[in-house]
Amino acid sequence: MSLDLGSLEILGAASVGQPGQRRFCLYVQSRRGSAIIWMEKEQLNRLSLTLDQVLAQLTEGQVLRTEAQAGARPAPAGLPSDFLSAPEYDLRSSQMALTYDERDESFTFTVTPVEIILEQEQEQEEPQLLIQEDEAISFQFSQQQAQELAGTINVLMTGGRPVCPLCGTPLDGGPHACVKQNGYHEIVQVIEEEDEEE
């Protein structure tokens, strides 16, 4: 049976590990329980971008994403120790859904874990995905919480390894072969179908 944690008291994002080997998560807590939701870096970044876009629309441009700022970058937040010790729910995100309720002015986020099944007995090498809808977790949060979460995720995304400003590839301190400086050019071809004369 899926679980609804209700309105959140705590909503945050964090990374665990060293740059290049970090794991990313959302951590949430309400009166109904707490959970850690592990996700890929790109999933977390997509959530941040989506929240920023929705907030910009809802506030008619009064809340906009900060892409760059002068001075030293802030350090990314760590995971609170009480969440590391024993969260009531610990799952890996696979399917995510974000909705907004205009009446309550709140977001609802639903995470559905997916299990990867490898069947060794059969000749079929492709893994099968099992969507575990009965283990889905959903929760609600406010516009203010959404804005704070998007900002936190943005700090996390920029707090790891530096990236090439042209291609976005993480830089490890060694030589970097940037595809955009090495004759890279995206080819776009537009083909218009001609109307056949009858």
Side-chain angles (χ1 to χ4, degrees):
M1 175 180 244
S2 60
L3 174 70
D4 184 1
L5 292 177
S7 297
L8 295 181
E9 298 171 348
I10 297 175
L11 169 63
S15 65
V16 177
Q18 297 300 317
Q21 299 177 343
R22 296 187 298 168
R23 295 178 65 203
F24 297 88
C25 68
L26 286 180
Y27 57 90
V28 301
Q29 183 175 337
S30 72
R31 294 180 180 179
R32 300 180 188 175
S34 61
I36 291 182
I37 302 159
W38 299 97
M39 53 182 61
E40 298 295 330
K41 181 179 181 179
E42 289 306 315
Q43 287 180 303
L44 198 59
N45 192 42
R46 174 53 52 197
L47 173 61
S48 172
L49 292 171
T50 302
L51 288 173
D52 283 330
Q53 290 172 355
V54 174
L55 288 168
Q57 291 175 354
L58 292 173
T59 62
E60 297 181 351
Q62 294 179 14
V63 176
L64 296 174
R65 182 181 183 94
T66 302
E67 291 292 346
Q69 59 187 25
R73 293 185 297 188
L79 189 63
S81 59
D82 54 343
F83 280 89
L84 271 176
S85 58
E88 294 176 67
Y89 304 97
D90 189 331
L91 67 149
R92 182 163 182 80
S93 166
S94 289
Q95 285 192 342
M96 303 183 298
L98 181 70
T99 58
Y100 182 75
D101 188 337
E102 293 183 358
R103 294 170 298 175
D104 297 336
E105 296 186 344
S106 66
F107 291 90
T108 297
F109 190 64
T110 303
V111 180
T112 306
V114 173
E115 182 181 355
I116 300 174
I117 301 173
L118 297 173
E119 296 185 7
Q120 298 177 351
E121 298 176 1
Q122 298 181 358
E123 296 178 4
Q124 190 177 22
E125 295 181 4
E126 294 184 14
Q128 295 182 349
L129 299 179
L130 177 62
I131 300 173
Q132 300 175 325
E133 293 182 2
D134 56 335
E135 295 184 20
I137 292 180
S138 62
F139 46 83
Q140 293 79 45
F141 53 94
S142 67
Q143 286 189 30
Q144 181 64 36
Q145 288 174 307
Q147 185 177 349
E148 292 170 1
L149 177 62
T152 300
I153 294 172
N154 193 23
V155 170
L156 284 175
M157 296 299 107
T158 59
R161 293 178 291 176
V163 296
C164 172
L166 297 176
C167 68
T169 302
L171 302 174
D172 293 318
H176 171 59
C178 178
V179 294
K180 291 200 174 183
Q181 284 186 327
N182 191 22
Y184 172 84
H185 181 69
E186 183 179 1
I187 298 174
V188 178
Q189 183 179 10
V190 178
I191 300 175
E192 294 183 6
E193 295 183 5
E194 296 182 1
D195 296 333
E196 294 183 3
E197 296 182 1
E198 296 182 357

